[in-house]
Amino acid sequence: MNAEIIAVGSELLTPERSDTNSLWLTAQLNELGVEVTQKSILGDDRDRLSAAIAEALQRVPLLILTGGLGPTEDDITREAVAQALHRRLLFSQEICDEIKARFAGAGRQMADINKRQAFVIEGAEKLSNPNGTAPGLWIDLPGGMLMLLPGPPREMVPMFGDTCRPKLVARLPQMAIRKRFFRVAGMGESDLDALIAPVYKPYLNPVTTILAAEGDVQIHLRARSSTPDEAEALVEELGAKILETLGNRVYSQNGDPLETVVGHMLRDRDATVAVAESCTGGMLGARITDVPGSSAWFLGGFQVYAPEMKARLLGLDQKTLDEHGAVSEVVAKAMADSARDRTGATYALSITGEAGPESQTPGIDPGVVWIGLASPKGVEAKMFRFFSGRNRVRKMAVQTALNLLRFQLS
Amino acid sequence: MNAEIIAVGSELLTPERSDTNSLWLTAQLNELGVEVTQKSILGDDRDRLSAAIAEALQRVPLLILTGGLGPTEDDITREAVAQALHRRLLFSQEICDEIKARFAGAGRQMADINKRQAFVIEGAEKLSNPNGTAPGLWIDLPGGMLMLLPGPPREMVPMFGDTCRPKLVARLPQMAIRKRFFRVAGMGESDLDALIAPVYKPYLNPVTTILAAEGDVQIHLRARSSTPDEAEALVEELGAKILETLGNRVYSQNGDPLETVVGHMLRDRDATVAVAESCTGGMLGARITDVPGSSAWFLGGFQVYAPEMKARLLGLDQKTLDEHGAVSEVVAKAMADSARDRTGATYALSITGEAGPESQTPGIDPGVVWIGLASPKGVEAKMFRFFSGRNRVRKMAVQTALNLLRFQLS
């Protein structure tokens, strides 16, 4: 089955706002075997919206509208749908009482303007909205369905999930979907694709999608079949082949980000970690402590951004710094060693590099980063060259440091 | 004048990808006085796209298509436009030679498939693409215009900016746009709006847009008129009133983020800053060092996440910690004092709080954060209560700390 989504609201036609509801809805629909074939964004113009609705319903049997259900004159979705379907809008005392009760619960009186939200399109079914005043509407049509959902995600998401999804499932042919999700660190998108394209290309089902961020590649597999067992077998076959090809480059199969995976490895070993950060200025510690409960494995560390701080806070020898420069193997190792020593952590990671845009270190190009790792077994450091700007260099350095610790813990 | 934008590509109908080109194009068009009245996203289906193009051209005089100009069978924008306009596609030896030369320049041979990109719609003007193989196309129609632009932003942006924008300006009525942009810290969106709504609501021109992120509100004003002087007078009148109402809550009028504004204030005073971070784990240092050249004012600091690190790395008295708890005024002050002392910085900021989701400190609710500031004049600390989750609490703490330093420096 094919579907279209129309997001309504003039604010979505400004340079600042984008329609994110449709991404979430697309994921939900895809899971049910429904493909989205067109998305549109329209402003608060009733005639234009009404025409777009009528056109969409000639193309697809399922149309979802989000937004424009509020109480103001700008909110024209109900009127536009009624016009497109040539149906009347009927006042519902029941909905009006519910809205009144909602306001009363918050110690307020319902404004007259909110009565607009109590109008229902003839033949439509009301969808309750526990998170706002605007009820949604569901309309069964000859050979199709139409949903009116509120625009705010905190209202739209539970309404679709709790009410629309089950109704949709009951109306769709049985279809089982099974998925796999791998997260990979330590290689770029194109290298990864070159490696696994020969593996996944022969398969049209499961569908393979690859997404990349700084030093982090996600592989999504989605298999469809008429039975859960068949879908599982399809996704399992390709998933196993991809896992075999990538080995321990895959760090997560449940969606957990790298900082969570590494954190839990430390926790399971009763180990702790500390940091010494130069060019990242605190990003590594910030990332490690993004994880709730990270106090179980993260002790702390040192932001030694200015060269003299490496001597002053970590006790590095000024002569060593002068001789080798702050961006060097010797300094990366000494930073990690000192951070481990001064915090008493099991492991310590250090980062010292040139983030750019201008190099502050003679002879060192922007993008060059040394990463050190001190452990009970000793200390090591590796050099990396990252490209494409200060922000990316710093993010790559953090991701790479976490991945080095993961390999150490594996 | 009104315009529509159609983004072409089946990948833009997945849950993972959104069309960002249209946001940039909308900003460009708005600057020229053109409003975007509809945006659509369609897959790689020629007939469907062709119908959508024909429909759009009946509604608006300006249609921009992005994507689908590549060399593969999936790339159907040229064919769909030709079909919608009932025009032929003509092979251009000149374009073919250019593409060949481009490949040769990279030491490669043009694949046969790239010949598809050398077809031009009858009557269309070629738009050069210095950043890719796909040329764009510009078509003047009776009473309208149509542009075909490549999908990758690094190709689309320069093509529109260098070629389409001047062509468009020449065809549009004279229209002057003047803007103001204020960034505000230290108050939430609804408080801010309550304060300035009575000021800006009476004005339809300039248009006022308010956008909010964690602890950071942006106010955009945009005035249009037939002459630059008139537009400037309009935006100046409202801008001055808003500035007067908000006073020094406005921290930037040129778009600079708070970390840049504070960094440049420090630089101008030949002053430096250090940090001592508990619940933020390094986010404050990371944010300060987002700014290129921040080595001129940021020295470094201490990530004292685990309670014992506050004693171990900063030398805080264990008895004080036990007595007052790590999230307290006394500890926030001692952290800032010690960080200033140990780094030798002019100023030091400290952050100690409960980010949540679970409180680790008896008697302290998640969201409670103490922020300390040590300066040559002494040390002070303030308590804040931030809401809505670990990530937001940490971001609010960092923003608030930077803003405290800004006020100290003002």
Side-chain angles (χ1 to χ4, degrees):
Chain A
M1 180 183 279
N2 292 336
E4 291 194 19
I5 300 170
I6 299 179
V8 184
S10 294
E11 73 281 6
L12 297 172
L13 292 169
T14 64
E16 291 88 12
R17 301 269 178 196
S18 55
D19 154 44
T20 54
N21 282 335
S22 70
L23 299 176
W24 185 86
L25 283 169
T26 299
Q28 294 285 314
L29 293 169
N30 288 351
E31 289 227 358
L32 302 175
V34 176
E35 297 298 326
V36 175
T37 52
Q38 181 167 341
K39 304 198 293 185
S40 311
I41 300 168
L42 278 90
D44 307 321
D45 175 328
R46 192 176 70 176
D47 290 339
R48 176 62 210 107
L49 178 58
S50 166
I53 291 164
E55 287 161 15
L57 286 173
Q58 296 197 335
R59 293 188 294 259
V60 291
L62 173 56
L63 175 61
I64 301 181
L65 293 144
T66 58
L69 299 181
T72 75
E73 289 288 329
D74 290 347
D75 294 298
I76 44 79
T77 303
R78 275 177 301 264
E79 285 82 348
V81 171
Q83 185 175 329
L85 300 179
H86 307 291
R87 296 193 186 184
R88 287 180 302 167
L89 277 168
L90 308 171
F91 180 74
S92 159
Q93 189 60 48
E94 185 200 333
I95 295 179
C96 188
D97 290 345
E98 282 173 16
I99 298 175
K100 266 188 196 155
R102 199 180 156 78
F103 274 95
R108 293 164 57 197
Q109 223 183 337
M110 186 186 88
D112 235 31
I113 199 175
N114 286 89
K115 279 194 184 158
R116 282 173 60 93
Q117 298 183 301
F119 280 85
V120 173
I121 296 161
E122 212 175 358
E125 188 179 331
K126 186 198 78 171
L127 305 170
S128 298
N129 184 355
N131 303 300
T133 52
L137 293 174
W138 173 290
I139 304 172
D140 278 308
L141 300 166
M145 287 160 273
L146 197 159
M147 288 171 229
L148 286 72
L149 304 177
R154 71 173 189 288
E155 301 178 28
M156 189 280 290
V157 165
M159 187 182 290
F160 184 89
D162 298 343
T163 317
C164 300
R165 199 177 193 282
K167 287 170 77 78
L168 207 48
V169 167
R171 283 161 176 79
L172 288 171
Q174 282 287 348
M175 167 76 73
I177 309 268
R178 287 295 179 274
K179 299 191 282 186
R180 286 285 184 287
F181 180 30
F182 305 122
R183 296 184 76 159
V184 179
M187 66 191 312
E189 184 179 15
S190 45
D191 287 345
L192 177 109
D193 197 50
L195 198 59
I196 66 168
V199 179
Y200 74 78
K201 284 276 188 206
Y203 291 83
L204 292 176
N205 183 21
V207 172
T208 301
T209 313
I210 297 176
L211 298 171
E214 286 84 2
D216 196 81
V217 186
Q218 305 187 355
I219 307 168
H220 295 260
L221 310 182
R222 185 161 58 94
R224 297 193 208 185
S225 190
S226 50
T227 74
D229 284 353
E230 278 177 27
E232 179 62 28
L234 285 167
V235 82
E236 174 56 30
E237 181 184 323
L238 177 55
K241 285 187 186 175
I242 288 178
L243 259 185
E244 199 193 315
T245 311
L246 291 175
N248 72 350
R249 292 185 189 96
V250 174
Y251 70 78
S252 166
Q253 296 189 51
N254 64 357
D256 277 348
L258 190 54
E259 59 272 25
T260 302
V261 170
V262 171
H264 292 173
M265 289 172 98
L266 289 164
R267 188 190 58 194
D268 295 347
R269 286 158 185 75
D270 260 328
T272 55
V273 65
V275 299
E277 307 189 50
S278 181
C279 64
T280 45
M283 287 173 75
L284 177 56
R287 180 100 182 264
I288 294 172
T289 56
D290 271 347
V291 186
S294 48
S295 54
W297 57 84
F298 183 64
L299 294 184
F302 301 85
Q303 292 142 304
V304 287
Y305 197 70
E308 68 270 24
M309 291 298 121
K310 294 172 184 75
R312 196 156 171 167
L313 306 191
L314 284 172
L316 265 62
D317 184 27
Q318 189 60 51
K319 226 183 85 197
T320 308
L321 281 161
D322 292 342
E323 223 167 81
H324 297 270
V327 181
S328 63
E329 180 174 9
V330 176
V331 168
K333 283 183 175 175
M335 282 169 63
D337 255 341
S338 171
R340 182 170 180 267
D341 198 46
R342 292 184 178 215
T343 58
T346 327
Y347 299 94
L349 287 164
S350 68
I351 299 177
T352 178
E354 268 301 336
E358 306 289 323
S359 176
Q360 311 284 325
T361 323
I364 305 285
D365 292 332
V368 170
V369 179
W370 278 94
I371 300 180
L373 171 56
S375 77
K377 290 184 243 166
V379 63
E380 51 172 344
K382 284 189 183 173
M383 197 194 82
F384 299 87
R385 283 178 189 276
F386 304 122
F387 296 99
S388 296
R390 180 179 180 83
N391 186 35
R392 186 168 183 276
V393 167
R394 294 182 356 131
K395 284 187 175 172
M396 287 295 297
V398 168
Q399 178 80 354
T400 305
L402 287 171
N403 204 38
L404 284 181
L405 180 53
R406 179 174 73 91
F407 279 123
Q408 174 79 249
L409 293 167
S410 304
Chain B
M1 180 184 279
N2 292 336
E4 291 195 19
I5 300 170
I6 299 179
V8 184
S10 293
E11 74 281 6
L12 297 173
L13 293 169
T14 62
E16 290 88 14
R17 301 269 176 196
S18 56
D19 154 44
T20 54
N21 281 336
S22 70
L23 298 178
W24 185 85
L25 284 169
T26 299
Q28 294 285 314
L29 294 170
N30 288 351
E31 289 226 358
L32 302 175
V34 176
E35 297 297 327
V36 175
T37 52
Q38 181 167 340
K39 303 198 294 187
S40 311
I41 300 167
L42 277 90
D44 306 322
D45 175 330
R46 192 177 70 176
D47 290 340
R48 176 63 209 109
L49 178 59
S50 167
I53 291 164
E55 287 161 15
L57 286 173
Q58 296 197 336
R59 292 187 294 258
V60 290
L62 172 56
L63 175 61
I64 301 180
L65 292 143
T66 59
L69 298 181
T72 75
E73 290 288 330
D74 289 347
D75 293 299
I76 43 79
T77 303
R78 276 177 300 264
E79 286 83 348
V81 171
Q83 185 175 329
L85 300 178
H86 307 290
R87 296 192 185 184
R88 287 180 301 169
L89 277 169
L90 307 171
F91 180 75
S92 159
Q93 189 59 50
E94 185 201 333
I95 295 178
C96 189
D97 291 344
E98 282 174 15
I99 299 175
K100 266 188 195 154
R102 199 182 156 78
F103 275 96
R108 293 164 56 198
Q109 222 183 339
M110 187 186 87
D112 234 32
I113 198 175
N114 286 90
K115 278 193 184 160
R116 283 172 60 91
Q117 299 183 299
F119 280 86
V120 173
I121 296 163
E122 211 175 0
E125 187 179 330
K126 187 198 75 171
L127 305 170
S128 299
N129 184 354
N131 304 299
T133 52
L137 294 175
W138 172 289
I139 305 173
D140 278 308
L141 300 168
M145 289 160 270
L146 196 159
M147 289 171 227
L148 285 71
L149 305 177
R154 69 173 190 290
E155 302 179 27
M156 188 279 291
V157 166
M159 186 183 291
F160 184 91
D162 298 344
T163 318
C164 300
R165 200 178 193 281
K167 289 171 76 79
L168 206 47
V169 168
R171 284 161 177 78
L172 289 172
Q174 283 287 347
M175 166 78 71
I177 308 270
R178 286 296 180 274
K179 298 191 283 188
R180 285 286 185 286
F181 179 30
F182 305 121
R183 297 186 73 159
V184 179
M187 66 191 312
E189 185 179 17
S190 45
D191 286 346
L192 178 109
D193 198 48
L195 198 59
I196 66 168
V199 179
Y200 73 77
K201 283 279 186 202
Y203 291 83
L204 292 176
N205 183 22
V207 172
T208 302
T209 313
I210 298 176
L211 298 171
E214 287 83 3
D216 197 81
V217 186
Q218 305 187 357
I219 306 168
H220 295 261
L221 309 183
R222 186 160 59 92
R224 297 194 207 185
S225 191
S226 49
T227 74
D229 283 355
E230 277 176 26
E232 179 63 28
L234 284 168
V235 82
E236 174 56 29
E237 182 185 322
L238 177 55
K241 284 187 186 175
I242 288 179
L243 259 185
E244 200 193 314
T245 310
L246 291 175
N248 72 349
R249 293 184 187 96
V250 175
Y251 70 79
S252 166
Q253 296 189 50
N254 64 357
D256 277 348
L258 190 54
E259 58 272 25
T260 302
V261 170
V262 171
H264 291 172
M265 288 172 98
L266 288 165
R267 188 189 58 194
D268 295 347
R269 286 159 185 73
D270 260 329
T272 55
V273 66
V275 299
E277 306 191 50
S278 181
C279 62
T280 46
M283 289 173 74
L284 178 56
R287 180 99 182 264
I288 294 171
T289 57
D290 271 346
V291 186
S294 48
S295 54
W297 56 84
F298 182 65
L299 294 184
F302 301 84
Q303 292 143 304
V304 287
Y305 197 70
E308 67 270 25
M309 291 299 121
K310 294 172 183 75
R312 195 154 172 168
L313 306 191
L314 285 172
L316 266 62
D317 185 27
Q318 190 60 51
K319 225 183 83 197
T320 309
L321 282 161
D322 293 342
E323 223 166 82
H324 296 272
V327 182
S328 62
E329 180 173 10
V330 175
V331 168
K333 283 183 175 175
M335 283 169 62
D337 255 341
S338 171
R340 181 168 181 267
D341 197 47
R342 291 184 178 215
T343 59
T346 326
Y347 299 93
L349 286 165
S350 68
I351 299 177
T352 178
E354 269 301 336
E358 307 289 324
S359 176
Q360 311 285 325
T361 324
I364 305 286
D365 293 333
V368 170
V369 179
W370 278 94
I371 301 180
L373 172 55
S375 77
K377 290 185 242 164
V379 63
E380 50 171 344
K382 284 189 183 172
M383 198 194 83
F384 299 87
R385 284 176 188 277
F386 304 123
F387 295 100
S388 298
R390 178 177 180 85
N391 185 34
R392 186 166 184 276
V393 167
R394 294 180 1 129
K395 283 188 176 173
M396 287 295 298
V398 168
Q399 179 79 355
T400 305
L402 287 171
N403 204 38
L404 284 181
L405 179 54
R406 179 175 72 92
F407 279 124
Q408 173 78 249
L409 293 167
S410 304

PDB file of all heavy atoms in Angstrom, chain A residues 46-67:
ATOM      1  N   ARG A  46      -6.950  27.553   2.890  1.00  0.00           N
ATOM      2  CA  ARG A  46      -7.939  26.486   2.871  1.00  0.00           C
ATOM      3  C   ARG A  46      -8.220  25.926   1.481  1.00  0.00           C
ATOM      4  O   ARG A  46      -8.240  24.717   1.287  1.00  0.00           O
ATOM      5  CB  ARG A  46      -9.253  26.970   3.491  1.00  0.00           C
ATOM      6  CG  ARG A  46     -10.208  25.836   3.757  1.00  0.00           C
ATOM      7  CD  ARG A  46     -11.449  26.322   4.443  1.00  0.00           C
ATOM      8  NE  ARG A  46     -12.255  27.131   3.529  1.00  0.00           N
ATOM      9  CZ  ARG A  46     -13.444  27.639   3.841  1.00  0.00           C
ATOM     10  NH1 ARG A  46     -13.958  27.452   5.041  1.00  0.00           N
ATOM     11  NH2 ARG A  46     -14.117  28.344   2.956  1.00  0.00           N
ATOM     12  N   ASP A  47      -8.396  26.806   0.518  1.00  0.00           N
ATOM     13  CA  ASP A  47      -8.727  26.321  -0.833  1.00  0.00           C
ATOM     14  C   ASP A  47      -7.585  25.501  -1.425  1.00  0.00           C
ATOM     15  O   ASP A  47      -7.799  24.450  -2.022  1.00  0.00           O
ATOM     16  CB  ASP A  47      -9.051  27.502  -1.755  1.00  0.00           C
ATOM     17  CG  ASP A  47     -10.374  28.163  -1.375  1.00  0.00           C
ATOM     18  OD1 ASP A  47     -11.179  27.478  -0.706  1.00  0.00           O
ATOM     19  OD2 ASP A  47     -10.561  29.337  -1.714  1.00  0.00           O
ATOM     20  N   ARG A  48      -6.392  26.015  -1.254  1.00  0.00           N
ATOM     21  CA  ARG A  48      -5.227  25.320  -1.799  1.00  0.00           C
ATOM     22  C   ARG A  48      -5.043  23.958  -1.126  1.00  0.00           C
ATOM     23  O   ARG A  48      -4.778  22.954  -1.789  1.00  0.00           O
ATOM     24  CB  ARG A  48      -3.990  26.216  -1.577  1.00  0.00           C
ATOM     25  CG  ARG A  48      -2.685  25.655  -1.989  1.00  0.00           C
ATOM     26  CD  ARG A  48      -2.641  25.384  -3.473  1.00  0.00           C
ATOM     27  NE  ARG A  48      -1.734  24.262  -3.712  1.00  0.00           N
ATOM     28  CZ  ARG A  48      -2.103  23.049  -4.055  1.00  0.00           C
ATOM     29  NH1 ARG A  48      -3.388  22.752  -4.252  1.00  0.00           N
ATOM     30  NH2 ARG A  48      -1.217  22.113  -4.225  1.00  0.00           N
ATOM     31  N   LEU A  49      -5.217  23.921   0.199  1.00  0.00           N
ATOM     32  CA  LEU A  49      -5.068  22.664   0.924  1.00  0.00           C
ATOM     33  C   LEU A  49      -6.162  21.679   0.523  1.00  0.00           C
ATOM     34  O   LEU A  49      -5.905  20.491   0.304  1.00  0.00           O
ATOM     35  CB  LEU A  49      -5.109  22.923   2.436  1.00  0.00           C
ATOM     36  CG  LEU A  49      -5.016  21.687   3.333  1.00  0.00           C
ATOM     37  CD1 LEU A  49      -3.731  20.901   3.076  1.00  0.00           C
ATOM     38  CD2 LEU A  49      -5.080  22.094   4.818  1.00  0.00           C
ATOM     39  N   SER A  50      -7.375  22.193   0.379  1.00  0.00           N
ATOM     40  CA  SER A  50      -8.485  21.342  -0.016  1.00  0.00           C
ATOM     41  C   SER A  50      -8.212  20.684  -1.376  1.00  0.00           C
ATOM     42  O   SER A  50      -8.440  19.474  -1.571  1.00  0.00           O
ATOM     43  CB  SER A  50      -9.759  22.189  -0.062  1.00  0.00           C
ATOM     44  OG  SER A  50     -10.769  21.501  -0.721  1.00  0.00           O
ATOM     45  N   ALA A  51      -7.679  21.460  -2.304  1.00  0.00           N
ATOM     46  CA  ALA A  51      -7.358  20.908  -3.628  1.00  0.00           C
ATOM     47  C   ALA A  51      -6.266  19.840  -3.523  1.00  0.00           C
ATOM     48  O   ALA A  51      -6.341  18.783  -4.152  1.00  0.00           O
ATOM     49  CB  ALA A  51      -6.919  22.030  -4.572  1.00  0.00           C
ATOM     50  N   ALA A  52      -5.258  20.106  -2.695  1.00  0.00           N
ATOM     51  CA  ALA A  52      -4.160  19.146  -2.546  1.00  0.00           C
ATOM     52  C   ALA A  52      -4.655  17.837  -1.943  1.00  0.00           C
ATOM     53  O   ALA A  52      -4.209  16.744  -2.314  1.00  0.00           O
ATOM     54  CB  ALA A  52      -3.054  19.743  -1.679  1.00  0.00           C
ATOM     55  N   ILE A  53      -5.591  17.936  -1.015  1.00  0.00           N
ATOM     56  CA  ILE A  53      -6.145  16.725  -0.382  1.00  0.00           C
ATOM     57  C   ILE A  53      -6.904  15.896  -1.415  1.00  0.00           C
ATOM     58  O   ILE A  53      -6.734  14.670  -1.514  1.00  0.00           O
ATOM     59  CB  ILE A  53      -7.079  17.119   0.793  1.00  0.00           C
ATOM     60  CG1 ILE A  53      -6.250  17.715   1.946  1.00  0.00           C
ATOM     61  CG2 ILE A  53      -7.898  15.928   1.275  1.00  0.00           C
ATOM     62  CD1 ILE A  53      -7.065  18.476   2.979  1.00  0.00           C
ATOM     63  N   ALA A  54      -7.728  16.575  -2.199  1.00  0.00           N
ATOM     64  CA  ALA A  54      -8.507  15.858  -3.221  1.00  0.00           C
ATOM     65  C   ALA A  54      -7.577  15.176  -4.231  1.00  0.00           C
ATOM     66  O   ALA A  54      -7.800  14.022  -4.619  1.00  0.00           O
ATOM     67  CB  ALA A  54      -9.449  16.836  -3.927  1.00  0.00           C
ATOM     68  N   GLU A  55      -6.510  15.876  -4.638  1.00  0.00           N
ATOM     69  CA  GLU A  55      -5.562  15.289  -5.592  1.00  0.00           C
ATOM     70  C   GLU A  55      -4.864  14.068  -4.996  1.00  0.00           C
ATOM     71  O   GLU A  55      -4.718  13.036  -5.642  1.00  0.00           O
ATOM     72  CB  GLU A  55      -4.503  16.336  -5.998  1.00  0.00           C
ATOM     73  CG  GLU A  55      -5.032  17.422  -6.932  1.00  0.00           C
ATOM     74  CD  GLU A  55      -4.134  18.670  -6.951  1.00  0.00           C
ATOM     75  OE1 GLU A  55      -2.986  18.583  -6.472  1.00  0.00           O
ATOM     76  OE2 GLU A  55      -4.607  19.710  -7.427  1.00  0.00           O
ATOM     77  N   ALA A  56      -4.422  14.195  -3.740  1.00  0.00           N
ATOM     78  CA  ALA A  56      -3.705  13.091  -3.098  1.00  0.00           C
ATOM     79  C   ALA A  56      -4.588  11.856  -2.986  1.00  0.00           C
ATOM     80  O   ALA A  56      -4.136  10.728  -3.209  1.00  0.00           O
ATOM     81  CB  ALA A  56      -3.202  13.523  -1.719  1.00  0.00           C
ATOM     82  N   LEU A  57      -5.855  12.064  -2.656  1.00  0.00           N
ATOM     83  CA  LEU A  57      -6.759  10.923  -2.480  1.00  0.00           C
ATOM     84  C   LEU A  57      -7.043  10.214  -3.805  1.00  0.00           C
ATOM     85  O   LEU A  57      -7.495   9.076  -3.818  1.00  0.00           O
ATOM     86  CB  LEU A  57      -8.067  11.367  -1.816  1.00  0.00           C
ATOM     87  CG  LEU A  57      -7.950  11.685  -0.322  1.00  0.00           C
ATOM     88  CD1 LEU A  57      -9.249  12.281   0.195  1.00  0.00           C
ATOM     89  CD2 LEU A  57      -7.587  10.425   0.481  1.00  0.00           C
ATOM     90  N   GLN A  58      -6.776  10.890  -4.915  1.00  0.00           N
ATOM     91  CA  GLN A  58      -6.905  10.198  -6.204  1.00  0.00           C
ATOM     92  C   GLN A  58      -5.681   9.340  -6.494  1.00  0.00           C
ATOM     93  O   GLN A  58      -5.739   8.442  -7.322  1.00  0.00           O
ATOM     94  CB  GLN A  58      -7.088  11.222  -7.325  1.00  0.00           C
ATOM     95  CG  GLN A  58      -8.381  12.003  -7.155  1.00  0.00           C
ATOM     96  CD  GLN A  58      -8.777  12.716  -8.428  1.00  0.00           C
ATOM     97  OE1 GLN A  58      -7.937  13.030  -9.260  1.00  0.00           O
ATOM     98  NE2 GLN A  58     -10.075  12.954  -8.580  1.00  0.00           N
ATOM     99  N   ARG A  59      -4.566   9.630  -5.822  1.00  0.00           N
ATOM    100  CA  ARG A  59      -3.335   8.887  -6.085  1.00  0.00           C
ATOM    101  C   ARG A  59      -3.129   7.727  -5.135  1.00  0.00           C
ATOM    102  O   ARG A  59      -2.604   6.691  -5.517  1.00  0.00           O
ATOM    103  CB  ARG A  59      -2.119   9.828  -5.967  1.00  0.00           C
ATOM    104  CG  ARG A  59      -2.037  10.897  -7.030  1.00  0.00           C
ATOM    105  CD  ARG A  59      -0.712  11.643  -6.955  1.00  0.00           C
ATOM    106  NE  ARG A  59      -0.572  12.414  -5.731  1.00  0.00           N
ATOM    107  CZ  ARG A  59      -0.758  13.734  -5.643  1.00  0.00           C
ATOM    108  NH1 ARG A  59      -1.103  14.435  -6.709  1.00  0.00           N
ATOM    109  NH2 ARG A  59      -0.602  14.371  -4.496  1.00  0.00           N
ATOM    110  N   VAL A  60      -3.471   7.920  -3.853  1.00  0.00           N
ATOM    111  CA  VAL A  60      -3.157   6.896  -2.845  1.00  0.00           C
ATOM    112  C   VAL A  60      -4.353   6.612  -1.949  1.00  0.00           C
ATOM    113  O   VAL A  60      -5.200   7.482  -1.748  1.00  0.00           O
ATOM    114  CB  VAL A  60      -1.965   7.339  -1.950  1.00  0.00           C
ATOM    115  CG1 VAL A  60      -0.662   7.354  -2.730  1.00  0.00           C
ATOM    116  CG2 VAL A  60      -2.244   8.684  -1.300  1.00  0.00           C
ATOM    117  N   PRO A  61      -4.401   5.400  -1.367  1.00  0.00           N
ATOM    118  CA  PRO A  61      -5.527   5.045  -0.500  1.00  0.00           C
ATOM    119  C   PRO A  61      -5.335   5.498   0.954  1.00  0.00           C
ATOM    120  O   PRO A  61      -6.244   5.343   1.758  1.00  0.00           O
ATOM    121  CB  PRO A  61      -5.553   3.513  -0.566  1.00  0.00           C
ATOM    122  CG  PRO A  61      -4.142   3.122  -0.880  1.00  0.00           C
ATOM    123  CD  PRO A  61      -3.540   4.240  -1.676  1.00  0.00           C
ATOM    124  N   LEU A  62      -4.141   6.019   1.278  1.00  0.00           N
ATOM    125  CA  LEU A  62      -3.910   6.423   2.667  1.00  0.00           C
ATOM    126  C   LEU A  62      -3.273   7.806   2.691  1.00  0.00           C
ATOM    127  O   LEU A  62      -2.191   8.014   2.138  1.00  0.00           O
ATOM    128  CB  LEU A  62      -2.989   5.404   3.361  1.00  0.00           C
ATOM    129  CG  LEU A  62      -2.502   5.748   4.765  1.00  0.00           C
ATOM    130  CD1 LEU A  62      -3.654   6.008   5.716  1.00  0.00           C
ATOM    131  CD2 LEU A  62      -1.626   4.625   5.307  1.00  0.00           C
ATOM    132  N   LEU A  63      -3.962   8.746   3.341  1.00  0.00           N
ATOM    133  CA  LEU A  63      -3.451  10.112   3.425  1.00  0.00           C
ATOM    134  C   LEU A  63      -3.416  10.546   4.881  1.00  0.00           C
ATOM    135  O   LEU A  63      -4.402  10.412   5.601  1.00  0.00           O
ATOM    136  CB  LEU A  63      -4.354  11.065   2.615  1.00  0.00           C
ATOM    137  CG  LEU A  63      -4.007  12.564   2.708  1.00  0.00           C
ATOM    138  CD1 LEU A  63      -2.600  12.846   2.186  1.00  0.00           C
ATOM    139  CD2 LEU A  63      -5.035  13.401   1.942  1.00  0.00           C
ATOM    140  N   ILE A  64      -2.252  11.033   5.302  1.00  0.00           N
ATOM    141  CA  ILE A  64      -2.112  11.529   6.669  1.00  0.00           C
ATOM    142  C   ILE A  64      -1.826  13.022   6.625  1.00  0.00           C
ATOM    143  O   ILE A  64      -0.918  13.465   5.931  1.00  0.00           O
ATOM    144  CB  ILE A  64      -0.971  10.805   7.418  1.00  0.00           C
ATOM    145  CG1 ILE A  64      -1.242   9.304   7.464  1.00  0.00           C
ATOM    146  CG2 ILE A  64      -0.803  11.366   8.826  1.00  0.00           C
ATOM    147  CD1 ILE A  64      -0.177   8.501   8.201  1.00  0.00           C
ATOM    148  N   LEU A  65      -2.611  13.779   7.378  1.00  0.00           N
ATOM    149  CA  LEU A  65      -2.393  15.215   7.502  1.00  0.00           C
ATOM    150  C   LEU A  65      -1.926  15.515   8.911  1.00  0.00           C
ATOM    151  O   LEU A  65      -2.487  15.002   9.878  1.00  0.00           O
ATOM    152  CB  LEU A  65      -3.705  15.965   7.250  1.00  0.00           C
ATOM    153  CG  LEU A  65      -4.238  15.885   5.824  1.00  0.00           C
ATOM    154  CD1 LEU A  65      -5.756  15.812   5.828  1.00  0.00           C
ATOM    155  CD2 LEU A  65      -3.784  17.104   5.044  1.00  0.00           C
ATOM    156  N   THR A  66      -0.887  16.338   9.045  1.00  0.00           N
ATOM    157  CA  THR A  66      -0.462  16.761  10.380  1.00  0.00           C
ATOM    158  C   THR A  66      -0.525  18.277  10.473  1.00  0.00           C
ATOM    159  O   THR A  66      -0.157  18.981   9.545  1.00  0.00           O
ATOM    160  CB  THR A  66       0.984  16.315  10.701  1.00  0.00           C
ATOM    161  OG1 THR A  66       1.875  16.859   9.716  1.00  0.00           O
ATOM    162  CG2 THR A  66       1.117  14.799  10.682  1.00  0.00           C
ATOM    163  N   GLY A  67      -0.998  18.764  11.622  1.00  0.00           N
ATOM    164  CA  GLY A  67      -1.007  20.201  11.886  1.00  0.00           C
ATOM    165  C   GLY A  67      -2.277  20.890  11.444  1.00  0.00           C
ATOM    166  O   GLY A  67      -3.128  20.304  10.747  1.00  0.00           O
TER     167      GLY A  67
END
